[in-house]
Amino acid sequence: MKIVVVKDYAQMSIKGAELIAETVKSNPEAVLGLATGSTPEGLYSELIRMHKEEGLDFSKITTVNLDEYYGLSGDHPQSYRYFMNEKLFNHVNIDKNNTYVPNGGAEDIQEECKNYDKNIEKLGGIDLQLLGIGGNGHIAFNEPEEELNFGTHLTDLTKDTIEANSRFFDSIDEVPKKAVTMGIGSIMKAKKIVLLASGKGKAEAIKELTSGKITTDSPATILQVHHDVTLFVDEDAASLINISK
Ligand code: GLP
């Protein structure tokens, strides 16, 4: 695992965007695994800038998102489909038909989960997977549990995550209690993984992630066995690990 400590959120966003841009340039038909949350917002703004000012070309790129709230359809302002359209897809030359986000409003959610993994296989797998991390060590919506799921599945959100994500909703009661998420296996099959973390709230999860131990109590720790992971962490998120810049 390559750990790159950067000064702050802005630097983390630029470094992450540079890595994605490299992939897009070297393979214009790449499949990118994308994430939502506050963490990648700056990275998406930087990709938009690169597209507008430097002609970074997304016309043949395919994207696959990690997760979606259960029960929210793509036109709900708090849905992750809506987020992706607003924060990235509407501002670059990507073909929206080539952007995949789980359908949280699907009538048959089990079928939706099965088809989501099948589609990733059909696309030839994910070339580069972008990840954030929850304060409790979750990746996508793979929450700390006794067992972790391999494939895309419907999951209960923990109290911590519901509370953390309530900042985007008018009230905590509006936060969905379940989500559809890619599983640990779907994520680990990506050829390359880049994880971003910023702020003191992520320091404990980053400490666990770099501890040399793997535990389902902190799902991100499984990433330590992947052969190509880069962490871009700012000084606050890195404050509990012993790595100099
Ligand atoms: C969310 C998402 C994750 C994200 C994490 C951290 O609930 N499901 O994909 O990485 O929690 O979010 P944030 O970047 O807002 O701190």
Side-chain angles (χ1 to χ4, degrees), residues 93-114:
N93 64 336
I94 199 160
D95 178 350
K96 284 227 187 96
N97 293 318
N98 296 333
T99 67
Y100 299 94
V101 180
N103 177 8
E107 226 162 87
D108 186 340
I109 207 74
Q110 299 306 340
E111 197 58 20
E112 171 69 16
C113 293
K114 238 198 298 168

Side-chain angles (χ1 to χ4, degrees), residues 62-162:
T62 298
T63 64
V64 180
N65 259 78
L66 287 168
D67 46 14
E68 179 61 282
Y69 287 117
Y70 177 56
L72 297 195
S73 61
D75 53 6
H76 189 289
Q78 296 312 332
S79 72
Y80 285 168
R81 158 55 74 183
Y82 194 94
F83 174 102
M84 289 310 303
N85 288 345
E86 290 281 301
K87 305 290 180 192
L88 181 65
F89 301 152
N90 288 346
H91 311 284
V92 296
N93 64 336
I94 199 160
D95 178 350
K96 284 227 187 96
N97 293 318
N98 296 333
T99 67
Y100 299 94
V101 180
N103 177 8
E107 226 162 87
D108 186 340
I109 207 74
Q110 299 306 340
E111 197 58 20
E112 171 69 16
C113 293
K114 238 198 298 168
N115 289 339
Y116 205 70
D117 282 326
K118 269 197 208 152
N119 186 46
I120 296 174
E121 294 291 321
K122 210 172 85 190
L123 293 168
I126 294 169
D127 293 301
L128 172 63
Q129 177 66 58
L130 173 66
L131 293 176
I133 187 167
N136 63 1
H138 75 237
I139 44 174
F141 272 130
N142 293 279
E143 296 274 31
E145 277 184 274
E146 207 170 312
E147 292 178 334
L148 299 174
N149 281 274
F150 190 88
T152 299
H153 60 285
L154 183 65
T155 189
D156 292 319
L157 302 182
T158 60
K159 203 169 146 273
D160 285 352
T161 299
I162 292 170

Side-chain angles (χ1 to χ4, degrees), residues 4-76:
V4 183
V5 180
V6 295
K7 193 171 179 336
D8 54 17
Y9 180 86
Q11 285 304 311
M12 176 200 76
S13 303
I14 289 169
K15 289 279 182 200
E18 282 170 355
L19 200 74
I20 292 191
E22 260 171 43
T23 302
V24 169
K25 284 180 199 159
S26 66
N27 176 9
E29 296 183 11
V31 178
L32 302 178
L34 298 181
T36 52
S38 306
T39 307
E41 278 194 46
L43 179 153
Y44 293 147
S45 300
E46 180 60 13
L47 289 181
I48 293 167
R49 190 200 62 74
M50 289 172 167
H51 167 68
K52 296 205 160 129
E53 293 176 14
E54 297 160 16
L56 187 64
D57 181 16
F58 290 87
S59 60
K60 296 198 183 86
I61 292 291
T62 298
T63 64
V64 180
N65 259 78
L66 287 168
D67 46 14
E68 179 61 282
Y69 287 117
Y70 177 56
L72 297 195
S73 61
D75 53 6
H76 189 289

